[in-house]
Amino acid sequence: MNLNEIKIVADSSADIPTPTKVAFSSVPLKIVTAEKEYIDNADLDVEQMVNDLANYNGKSSTSCPSPEDWLAAFGNAKYVFCVSITSNLSGTYNSACIAKQTYEETHPDCKVYVIDSLSTGPEMQLIMEKLQEDILNGLSFEEICSEINDYQKKTRLLFMLESMKNLANNGRVKPIVAKAAGLLGIRVVGKASDVGTLEVLEKNRGEKKALLCIINNMKKLGFKGGKVKISHCFNNSAAATLKELIKKEFKDTVIEIYNSRGLCSFYAEKGGLLIGFEVE
Ligand code: X90
């Protein structure tokens, strides 16, 4: 494979990755209210959206990209690595599979590999970084597919949420599960399950306890150092505290903090943290 024939494409729940030498496109999901439609691309003012939503009492929902949206992002690349949000919570993966089929039928020399992240946000970023590494190291298409398959067994996602209102209103968690998160001061800590659904682990009173709970669960899941990516929805202080707590116990770790984009901000809501990390 030549570098100029390869493209990584991910839906916008992956947030915006650090640019590299590998061509990349993001395919936006949409956040929709009765008043407005927000397209989750680089132009979206996430802060404005989060503030609009905080002052809005009507119905809000999201919609996934169509196969045509994915096809447009594939461009003319000979080799496409396509990373999607968990197929268990969104139609995004299904759209990508249809796009792959159409693309390969109409471009017989081209190959598309669709990766169901069974996760979102920072865990997708880890997968994309691994793809970039493998591509720049000159691995073959098939080798990269198999490497990514193995890598996915070694990454996890934890989250901390102050509210699960949008998740419950859109049928992504049961109302009873969401209820606890609505109580003042309660922070729900959970993980992306093996099948790519939200699994609540613990309900904590206060942020400090929740952050300690995150570290405990990182260890339980097999974190021994390595890469960590923390995305937050306007909660840089919690992200920074978590980073310090991790660094205190694990010397050999590279931690990146960034702001979540539209889709993850809509569902994680203000104060929410998502933590993607490597395990052994
Ligand atoms: O198709 C669509 O409209 C998109 C639906 C996405 C629903 C879930 C988004 C979750 C975002 C919340 C915490 C982390 C959950 C991890 C689950 C695997 C972030």
Side-chain angles (χ1 to χ4, degrees):
M1 292 192 294
N2 282 322
L3 190 53
N4 59 10
E5 303 171 321
I6 310 173
K7 194 163 183 188
I8 299 176
V9 180
D11 68 71
S12 66
S13 75
D15 306 309
I16 295 174
T18 322
T20 66
K21 293 173 190 138
V22 185
F24 173 79
S25 273
S26 172
V27 180
L29 284 94
K30 288 180 194 142
I31 295 97
V32 190
T33 69
E35 282 159 16
K36 217 170 152 177
E37 186 176 89
Y38 304 87
I39 300 172
D40 189 16
N41 60 22
D43 297 332
L44 175 68
D45 183 340
V46 179
E47 187 162 18
Q48 178 74 54
M49 182 194 84
V50 169
N51 289 334
D52 286 356
L53 287 165
N55 299 315
Y56 171 78
N57 285 317
K59 264 190 141 181
S60 55
S61 62
T62 57
S63 70
C64 69
S66 67
E68 290 70 31
D69 296 334
W70 281 109
L71 279 171
F74 294 171
N76 245 326
K78 189 159 181 197
Y79 303 99
V80 180
F81 295 96
C82 179
V83 191
S84 110
I85 185 170
T86 170
S87 60
N88 231 314
L89 297 176
S90 169
T92 302
Y93 173 75
N94 196 43
S95 281
C97 290
I98 296 169
K100 167 196 158 75
Q101 208 183 345
T102 311
Y103 196 70
E104 288 178 345
E105 273 166 22
T106 51
H107 303 67
D109 328 322
C110 298
K111 286 185 191 171
V112 181
Y113 186 56
V114 186
I115 300 158
D116 180 354
S117 70
L118 296 174
S119 184
T120 190
E123 196 175 354
M124 288 172 77
Q125 294 244 339
L126 289 173
I127 293 170
M128 291 190 287
E129 275 188 14
K130 172 73 174 154
L131 280 170
Q132 286 164 11
E133 255 173 56
D134 288 349
I135 291 166
L136 295 175
N137 283 331
L139 271 64
S140 72
F141 186 82
E142 287 71 25
E143 281 168 341
I144 296 177
C145 298
S146 124
E147 284 277 308
I148 282 297
N149 224 11
D150 292 343
Y151 187 65
Q152 283 192 272
K153 294 175 190 141
K154 294 186 178 164
T155 59
R156 297 289 181 274
L157 183 87
L158 285 168
F159 56 81
M160 176 187 92
L161 303 174
E162 289 182 25
S163 162
M164 296 174 96
K165 196 182 83 191
N166 288 338
L167 281 163
N169 286 344
N170 286 285
R172 263 72 189 195
V173 296
K174 296 205 179 82
I176 182 95
V177 173
K179 226 173 167 181
L183 302 175
L184 200 67
I186 295 296
R187 305 280 183 281
V188 170
V189 169
K191 68 169 183 180
S193 74
D194 294 347
V195 291
T197 52
L198 274 95
E199 186 177 327
V200 169
L201 297 167
E202 281 172 58
K203 294 158 199 148
N204 300 274
R205 198 164 292 278
E207 195 165 82
K208 187 72 202 270
K209 279 192 190 142
L211 296 177
L212 293 171
C213 170
I214 289 170
I215 307 244
N216 271 335
N217 279 289
M218 284 175 76
K219 288 192 237 169
K220 266 195 213 163
L221 291 169
F223 179 71
K224 299 249 159 56
K227 281 191 198 172
V228 181
K229 300 211 178 276
I230 307 172
S231 74
H232 64 90
C233 182
F234 303 101
N235 198 353
N236 192 55
S237 69
T241 309
L242 181 62
K243 178 176 176 178
E244 287 320 306
L245 290 169
I246 299 170
K247 276 172 71 181
K248 238 194 257 166
E249 280 192 62
F250 298 92
K251 299 286 164 254
D252 200 13
T253 171
V254 185
I255 308 173
E256 190 202 330
I257 297 178
Y258 69 89
N259 301 293
S260 50
R261 299 296 304 164
L263 194 275
C264 283
S265 296
F266 174 77
Y267 284 107
E269 302 188 43
K270 223 175 197 160
L273 288 191
L274 270 63
I275 308 101
F277 55 98
E278 296 178 336
V279 298
E280 275 177 21

